[in-house]
Amino acid sequence: MNDYTRRGEVLPMTTTISIAEFRKDMRKLLEMALSGREVICFDAKSRDRETCSFIKTGLLQDILKAYSFKPVVFLDDETMTHNIHLDELKLYAYADTVEEATEQLIDLVIDYISDYIDRLGLFLNVPDRKEQYPYVLRISHCQNRDEIKRLLFGSN
């Protein structure tokens, strides 16, 4: 119990509703979510009481901006290859030129994000891979290679 509930005050919390209520008032609740307010939906018949959030996509994207990428680009003196390490996703590329390594990394990212989303249940059950989920979501909102490149490396 917090100070507010002890004083009898009601805090403006998120809207939490059952799936049945959501079906009945879907338009109103989606408008609420689109206005910026989170709507949480639960299955009253489910034993585990898992919930699902509806939130405006633009707000989600703003939240995900906290998960930035810091690729490390360097020349390996021993092999004379250009390396790019993307530690956030544990992906690494190397090639004769930085441009080739960059394109190789983007290919790896696209393949990895696709695999991650296709096998989401598996990845979310592996602790170090579950931590990557916000980064995966952030990249999954990109529409093409150029957007991925800008997201990973900044504006060029």
Side-chain angles (χ1 to χ4, degrees):
M1 185 182 276
N2 62 37
D3 290 337
Y4 293 103
T5 54
R6 273 183 254 167
R7 289 188 249 147
E9 297 175 42
V10 177
L11 292 177
M13 298 294 189
T14 55
T15 301
T16 304
I17 59 160
S18 70
I19 290 174
E21 291 174 288
F22 184 83
R23 284 184 187 135
K24 187 170 57 173
D25 295 325
M26 183 169 35
R27 182 71 188 151
K28 180 181 105 183
L29 294 164
L30 288 176
E31 285 175 8
M32 186 182 295
L34 288 170
S35 76
R37 186 156 182 184
E38 179 185 22
V39 176
I40 299 174
C41 189
F42 65 92
D43 184 354
K45 297 176 183 176
S46 173
R47 281 186 258 178
D48 60 12
R49 302 291 277 186
E50 287 284 338
T51 60
C52 178
S53 291
F54 293 90
I55 187 170
K56 187 176 181 177
T57 302
L59 288 175
L60 174 62
Q61 290 171 331
D62 288 344
I63 291 166
L64 292 174
K65 286 180 183 175
Y67 296 90
S68 60
F69 296 91
K70 298 171 188 79
V72 178
V73 181
F74 64 95
L75 176 66
D76 184 315
D77 293 329
E78 189 174 313
T79 62
M80 295 308 294
T81 58
H82 291 39
N83 292 255
I84 304 176
H85 290 191
L86 190 62
D87 293 331
E88 294 82 4
L89 296 177
K90 294 181 174 48
L91 295 175
Y92 313 99
Y94 61 93
D96 292 334
T97 67
V98 173
E99 294 78 16
E100 290 173 331
T102 298
E103 292 305 314
Q104 185 184 93
L105 183 70
I106 292 170
D107 289 340
L108 289 170
V109 166
I110 290 168
D111 289 344
Y112 184 70
I113 298 304
S114 177
D115 186 40
Y116 193 108
I117 291 169
D118 286 346
R119 300 187 302 148
L120 191 59
L122 171 69
F123 283 95
L124 292 179
N125 283 301
V126 178
D128 68 325
R129 299 300 177 170
K130 183 178 182 177
E131 293 172 2
Q132 296 174 343
Y133 187 60
Y135 297 99
V136 169
L137 276 180
R138 185 135 192 238
I139 292 170
S140 73
H141 284 254
C142 292
Q143 298 297 310
N144 54 49
R145 291 179 70 85
D146 289 336
E147 282 187 34
I148 294 171
K149 186 175 184 178
R150 281 192 301 275
L151 177 61
L152 298 179
F153 297 97
S155 298
N156 290 339

